[in-house]
């Protein structure tokens, strides 16, 4: 069984390099150069086994997802990712498991030119904590408190897929591979977040469920929102696996899709459509920001609709 | 039972502010301003219950220690602390426990003007992950790879106290309150680390044990070290609680003291003594850097001495 130090060596050998990493893994701390004229953006999220992923999740998928949820937070700020640190708690030191974990973690890191610069490994129940660092130009970040009455509400990609996979897992049903991939290998919308700078006002990533996360934007901005349920984007896989009523609940309250929900002035509709035309992720207009403080979803008949339970709380879910 | 969002609100209300925090707790990520002409220093460490602290440790002590071990890493780089993020995994949402935890965490943060700017709370076995951020001027950091043959080896404070408390805990003995405080409320040597910039060559904080941590410095620097066992500083509490033979083992191999072990050229002896005279933490000269790659400890008769077991590995300890 390799020691903690051997593990850290093994991780260090696989970490990518960047010119702005003055000192990476192996000292008491990393030393990093933030570019002149840029602000530092920092996100931190933990995944625990049995809570954030099924116990039988492949190590590579856990590695991917642990970084993905953090890059998603940077994306929701419109930030350019740069570095991350990783704290890995494992019941036992298992070089094979860690290699698999790094396969997923570093594959996603490479896609976004993110360097792993530090962290620790320690004994404990399986838990993965990541801190991601990125950059924004001053006053260019997409904040939750910047939605304005009259804004359109938009969403990237499709909603409800990850919750669909989770539902199948909890029910013991066979898991649809497309939905399962959306749960286990979510795509952080980094390029979309960067493209939204200067166009979007507020943004949030959908980790707790559309209505809950849009509610956070509304609360921070002092506004309300109206959502058209029939406008919510749905994947073919979700449409096949769930009937309309269950699908609606998954789309509105399911967490873990890591799509970006954002608001933008009407005058940017054309520019936002052009982003979609560029071949990047689909963006769908799903509602509008209104006065008030409530998020109200309307069905095709114009009647307000409430899900049986709102959002996903990591202390309840 | 408060929800995750209520908990985050409660934490946000208690967090300190700093002018360089553009956006703190409550968005997808924090936005921070690194001062011009400074490099960013980032450390990340996790504490797990039953591994890094006894299960009956007070929440306030866990909070203190979780931040202390990270500030200690910054201190070992000679960095000025600025911000931290906190990821808290708890079996259940317990507002009283979190209040106690924050009492300790924020008390230490306030001592060093550190702002808590983000993180997450989640369900899982009790685990605390902290990322600490600080600043250094370019080329001023105290790195592990900078020890030079002929350097003196120094240590701040006293050695073995935390391991003494841990030994008493494992043995079921009554725990000496002074030793216990050293284990549960370690003092990160931030002021000492800053004072060492320009004087010390290499530095490391003693978290795994003196011989192991000095070994890391030697390996990174391509040098060896000789330690005079009789020169190792000992606290009155440790001298009372353990005989000379057991004390020696604790001083050489005990982790968790979070003292700084550093090397410095002989010409800086007077300047280093002046730092001590200023009323800051005691610094003791305990050996020297030599050619080779081994750390050898000598007893009072000049005979090399080996501890029964070297260092503390979080996967074995």
């Amino acid at each position: 069984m390799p020691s903690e130090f051997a593990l850290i060596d093994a991780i260090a050998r696989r970490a990518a390099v960047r010119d702005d990493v003055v000192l990476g893994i192996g000292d008491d701390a990393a030393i990093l150069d933030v570019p002149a004229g840029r602000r530092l953006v920092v996100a931190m999220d933990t995944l625990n086994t049995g809570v954030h992923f099924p116990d039988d999740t492949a190590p590579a998928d856990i590695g991917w997802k642990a970084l993905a949820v953090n890059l998603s937070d940077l994306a929701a700020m419109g930030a350019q990712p740069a570095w991350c640190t990783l704290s890995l708690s494992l019941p036992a030191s298992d070089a094979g498991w860690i290699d698999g974990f790094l396969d997923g973690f570093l594959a996603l890191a490479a896609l976004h030119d993110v360097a792993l610069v530090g962290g620790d490994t320690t004994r404990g129940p399986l838990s993965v904590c990541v801190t991601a660092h990125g950059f924004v130009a001053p006053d260019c970040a997409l904040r939750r408190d910047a939605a304005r009455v009259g804004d359109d509400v938009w969403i990237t990609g499709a909603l409800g897929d990850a919750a669909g996979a989770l539902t199948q897992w909890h029910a013991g049903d066979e898991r649809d591979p497309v939905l399962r991939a959306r749960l286990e290998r979510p795509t952080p919308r980094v390029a979309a977040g960067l493209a939204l700078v200067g166009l979007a006002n507020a943004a949030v990533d959908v980790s707790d469920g559309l209505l809950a996360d849009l509610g956070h934007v509304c609360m921070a901005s002092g506004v309300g929102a109206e959502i058209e349920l029939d406008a919510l984007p749905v994947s073919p896989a979700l449409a096949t696996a769930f009937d309309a009523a269950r699908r609606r609940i998954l789309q509105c309250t399911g967490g873990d899709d890591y799509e970006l929900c954002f608001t933008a002035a009407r005058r940017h509709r054309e520019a936002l459509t052009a982003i979609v035309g560029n071949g990047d992720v689909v963006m769908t207009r799903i509602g509008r920001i209104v006065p008030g403080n409530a998020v109200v979803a309307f069905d095709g008949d114009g009647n307000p609709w409430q899900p049986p339970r709102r959002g996903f709380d990591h202390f309840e879910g």
Side-chain angles (χ1 to χ4, degrees), chain A residues 45-55 57 62 65-66 87 89 124-129 169 314-315:
Chain A
D45 263 315
T46 293
L47 301 187
N48 292 327
T49 189
V51 178
H52 299 94
F53 52 85
D55 292 329
T57 306
I62 298 171
K65 186 163 181 174
S87 177
S89 292
L126 178 56
S127 176
V128 188
C129 183
W169 175 54
H314 288 149
F315 276 118

Side-chain angles (χ1 to χ4, degrees), chain A residues 143-166:
Chain A
R143 300 166 53 135
R144 294 186 180 185
D145 59 6
R148 297 291 169 259
V149 171
D151 280 0
D152 295 319
V153 178
W154 295 74
I155 189 85
T156 62
L159 285 171
D161 289 349
L166 213 53

Side-chain angles (χ1 to χ4, degrees), chain A residues 50 60 66 83-84 148 168 179 186 190 235 240 246 263 271 280 290 304 315:
Chain A
W83 317 300
C84 64
R148 297 291 169 259
Q168 291 176 334
L179 299 182
V190 173
S235 72
T240 304
R246 294 175 74 200
T263 81
D280 205 338
V290 296
F315 276 118

Side-chain angles (χ1 to χ4, degrees), chain A residues 81-186:
Chain A
W83 317 300
C84 64
T85 55
L86 164 67
S87 177
L88 196 53
S89 292
L90 288 174
S93 166
D94 178 338
W97 192 96
I98 290 176
D99 262 347
F101 175 90
L102 288 176
D103 287 344
F105 190 95
L106 296 177
L108 181 59
L111 283 180
H112 296 286
D113 191 24
V114 169
L116 175 61
V117 297
D120 71 342
T121 60
T122 189
R123 191 161 53 86
L126 178 56
S127 176
V128 188
C129 183
V130 173
T131 303
H133 296 80
F135 314 131
V136 287
D139 305 320
C140 283
L142 309 174
R143 300 166 53 135
R144 294 186 180 185
D145 59 6
R148 297 291 169 259
V149 171
D151 280 0
D152 295 319
V153 178
W154 295 74
I155 189 85
T156 62
L159 285 171
D161 289 349
L166 213 53
T167 302
Q168 291 176 334
W169 175 54
H170 285 143
D173 294 348
E174 199 178 334
R175 279 180 264 178
D176 179 275
V178 174
L179 299 182
R180 187 171 170 166
R182 287 271 289 164
L183 176 67
E184 295 178 346
R185 292 246 175 175

Side-chain angles (χ1 to χ4, degrees), chain A residues 215-234:
Chain A
H216 299 154
V217 168
C218 288
M219 182 177 293
S221 300
V223 298
E226 294 178 353
I227 296 299
E228 304 291 344
L229 291 167
D230 287 350
L232 297 183
V234 60

